Amino acid sequence: MLQQTTVATVGPRFQRFLARYPELAALAEAPWQDVAAEWAGLGYYARARNLHAAARQIQALGGFPETREGLAALPGIGPYTAAAIAAIAFNAPVVPLDGNVERVTARIFAVEEALPDAKPRLDALAQGFLADKAARARPGDFTQALFDLGAGICTPRKPACALCPWRKSCQAQKLGLTEALPRKAPKPERPTRHGVHFLLTDAQGQVWLRRRPSRGLLGGMLEIPGTAWREAGWAEAEALAQAPIAITWQPMAGEARHVFTHFALTMRLYHAQLPARRKRPEGEWLPPREAAQALPSVMRKLLILAGLAA
C-alpha cells in the first residue's frame, strides 16, 4: 500500500498541496517500485508511469493547471482528456472530442469523410458549437449534455431522432444518412510478435525476476527475462544466444499468448535451476505465489505455462 505523507514532515508549500490533494500527494511521494507493485496485473502499464509522473509534476506546480494547454503538458494527458478536464472541472471554453461528440458532429454536419482522417474537421466543427451564447457561458454543462446526447439519443444504432433537440438542423437526418455516419476506415489487422523467455529458479523454488527499463512497453515493471518481441519467430539457437545467463536451459512444452492493443504476442519458455553454489544474478527472487502477484498479466501467463501459478 502507498504510504500517506504526514503534514509534519514537509515544508509549507507542500503542506498546502497535501491538505488539498492527500491521495495525489501520497502518489507523488511514493517510490516507483511501490506504484508498480500496486498496479501489477491491471494492464496498460504506461498509465501507471504517467500517473506517477503527473502527480509529481502537479506537486511541483503546487496544484492542477486549469487550462487545456497546461493540462496537456502533464504526462499521459492527451488532447481529449485535457479538453474534458478543462471544460468540466474548470469551465474552460472548449469541447472535448470523444466518440459521442464525433458521432453527433458528423451527423449534424453530414461529414462523410471516414475516421480517423475526419478527426481534425470534426474537432473544428465541434468547437463551433461554442458560438452559441448559452454553450459558451457554461461549457462544462454543455460538454456533459453533449456526451449524454451521444450516449442516450444519438446512439450508434437506431438513434432516437424524434427526441433529439437538434433534429431540425441535422443534415444526416435530412439526407437519410443517420445510421451510416460517422464512417470509419477498416481497421488494419493486428500483427503477431514472438518472444522467448527464460525462467530461472533456485533450489528453494524462488523465481528470478528483473525490472524492465523505465521507458517503453511495460516500462519499470518486473519481468521474466527474455528476448525482444519481434515479428519474426525465434530459432532455438538464436533464442538461447539471448539467454540472460549462461546455464543449461530446457524448453518447456506449449506457449503463452497475450493480446496488447496494437499486437498479439506468442511466447515460448525455457527453464533452468540455479546450482546451489552458484551466485544468484541480481534482481528480485520471489516465491511463485508472490511473483504471480508482482508480475504484469503478460508475464504471469509464463508462470501459468510453467505450472507455478493458476
Side-chain angles (χ1 to χ4, degrees):
M1 297 293 291
L2 302 185
Q3 299 297 313
Q4 292 283 356
T5 303
T6 61
V7 172
T9 63
V10 297
R13 185 183 182 193
F14 188 46
Q15 285 182 15
R16 293 191 294 273
F17 177 76
L18 176 59
R20 190 173 182 185
Y21 310 110
E23 294 83 5
L24 192 63
L27 176 59
E29 291 295 294
W32 163 246
Q33 289 81 355
D34 292 351
V35 177
E38 292 285 338
W39 196 271
L42 297 180
Y44 296 98
Y45 298 100
R47 291 181 181 178
R49 294 197 306 274
N50 287 332
L51 279 169
H52 191 231
R56 293 189 164 185
Q57 192 164 319
I58 293 167
Q59 174 187 324
L61 293 171
F64 279 91
E66 298 186 5
T67 65
R68 176 172 56 173
E69 295 74 20
L71 289 159
L74 296 174
I77 303 296
Y80 162 70
T81 305
I85 297 172
I88 297 171
F90 303 114
N91 217 35
V94 59
V95 176
L97 194 73
D98 75 340
N100 287 319
V101 177
E102 285 177 348
R103 184 167 58 256
V104 171
T105 307
R107 289 172 175 173
I108 291 293
F109 296 100
V111 175
E112 296 195 52
E113 183 182 2
L115 290 166
D117 291 345
K119 279 182 178 288
R121 184 182 176 197
L122 291 174
D123 184 53
L125 290 169
Q127 303 312 312
F129 290 142
L130 293 175
D132 180 89
K133 185 177 180 180
R136 190 168 185 86
R138 298 167 58 188
D141 290 339
F142 176 76
T143 287
Q144 293 181 82
L146 200 54
F147 288 168
D148 289 344
L149 178 68
I153 294 177
C154 194
T155 52
R157 297 178 182 83
K158 297 182 179 179
C161 295
L163 302 177
C164 180
W166 281 344
R167 63 186 180 278
K168 292 183 180 179
S169 57
C170 180
Q171 296 301 307
Q173 188 185 40
K174 292 178 182 178
L175 296 171
L177 294 173
T178 307
E179 293 206 45
L181 300 179
R183 302 191 191 280
K184 295 182 180 180
K187 289 185 178 181
E189 185 177 350
R190 182 184 281 119
T192 298
R193 297 181 186 175
H194 305 272
V196 178
H197 288 262
F198 300 91
L199 179 65
L200 183 67
T201 55
D202 62 13
Q204 289 73 43
Q206 291 187 314
V207 177
W208 176 43
L209 306 177
R210 69 181 181 188
R211 199 164 293 279
R212 293 173 65 87
S214 59
R215 295 186 178 275
L217 188 62
L218 303 180
M221 305 300 292
L222 291 172
E223 69 168 354
I224 295 171
T227 66
W229 297 336
R230 67 183 193 184
E231 292 186 8
W234 289 89
E236 182 174 62
E238 187 183 18
L240 290 173
Q242 300 287 320
I245 66 170
I247 200 172
T248 301
W249 295 98
Q250 298 295 332
M252 305 196 76
E255 57 187 23
R257 299 176 183 270
H258 190 81
V259 177
F260 291 97
T261 303
H262 300 297
F263 67 93
L265 176 64
T266 297
M267 298 172 290
R268 302 200 326 268
L269 187 63
Y270 284 78
H271 173 254
Q273 181 171 316
L274 191 71
R277 294 185 178 181
R278 183 163 174 176
K279 183 180 179 181
R280 300 199 303 183
E282 291 186 5
E284 298 195 27
W285 289 82
L286 298 176
R289 184 174 179 178
E290 292 183 23
Q293 294 174 343
L295 286 169
S297 55
V298 59
M299 293 292 160
R300 191 180 303 129
K301 291 180 178 180
L302 294 171
L303 290 184
I304 295 172
L305 181 62
L308 297 180

